[in-house]
Amino acid sequence: MAKTSPLNTLADLAQNDTDTAARELGRLQGQRTQAEQQLAALTQYRQEYRARMQALMQNGMPSARCHDFSQFLDSLDAAIRQQTEALAKAESQLLAGRANWQKQKQRLNSFDTLIARAESREQQIAARREQRATDEYAARLSRQQVGSGHNQ
C-alpha cells in the first residue's frame, strides 16, 4: 500500500500513542525506582540510628537524650510509612502505565495486521491481473501463429 490510506493514518496515530505510552511507562518506572531507593535509604538510616542509640544506651545516656533519640526514631518511622505508601502508589501507577502501553501496542499490532492483509490482497489482485495479461498475450500469439500457419 504505497499510497496513504485511512488505515495507514490510523496506524501512524496508533504508533504515536504507543510511543507516548512507552515514554510514560519509562517515567513511571523511574518514579517507582526513586521511591524504592528513598525507602531503602530511610530504612537503612533508621537501622543505623537505632544501633547508635543502643550503643549509647549501653554506655549510659541521660533520659532526656534517650527521649530525643526515641522521638527522632518515631519521626523516621512516620517517614518510612509515608514512603512505603508513596512506593505502593508508584507501583500502582506503574501497573496502570504498563497496562496502557500493552493496550496501545496491541492496537498498533492490529492495524499492522490489517495493513499487511490489505497489502497481501492488493498483491494477489495485481498477480492475477498480470497472469491474465500474460495468458491473453500467449493466446493472441497462439492465434497469430495458427492464423499465419494457414496462410502458408
Side-chain angles (χ1 to χ4, degrees), residues 54-66:
Q54 287 176 340
L56 288 171
M57 286 177 73
Q58 286 176 352
N59 296 331
M61 180 173 36
S63 64
R65 182 108 195 256
C66 185

Side-chain angles (χ1 to χ4, degrees), residues 43-101:
T43 303
Q44 181 180 355
Y45 184 65
R46 187 199 185 283
Q47 290 170 349
E48 292 169 0
Y49 195 80
R50 178 132 175 96
R52 209 172 336 140
M53 178 182 158
Q54 287 176 340
L56 288 171
M57 286 177 73
Q58 286 176 352
N59 296 331
M61 180 173 36
S63 64
R65 182 108 195 256
C66 185
H67 180 70
D68 290 345
F69 266 90
S70 185
Q71 280 187 324
F72 188 70
L73 280 174
D74 288 345
S75 66
L76 279 175
D77 288 340
I80 288 171
R81 280 191 301 276
Q82 191 175 27
Q83 192 58 38
T84 301
E85 290 171 10
L87 177 58
K89 181 180 177 185
E91 286 177 345
S92 174
Q93 290 173 336
L94 179 61
L95 288 174
R98 186 174 292 126
N100 180 49
W101 174 79

Side-chain angles (χ1 to χ4, degrees), residues 100-119:
N100 180 49
W101 174 79
Q102 289 172 337
K103 180 180 121 191
Q104 297 303 328
K105 185 67 175 158
Q106 184 177 13
R107 184 172 167 251
L108 175 62
N109 290 343
S110 296
F111 284 122
D112 287 344
T113 299
L114 290 172
I115 289 170
R117 287 180 187 165
E119 287 174 347

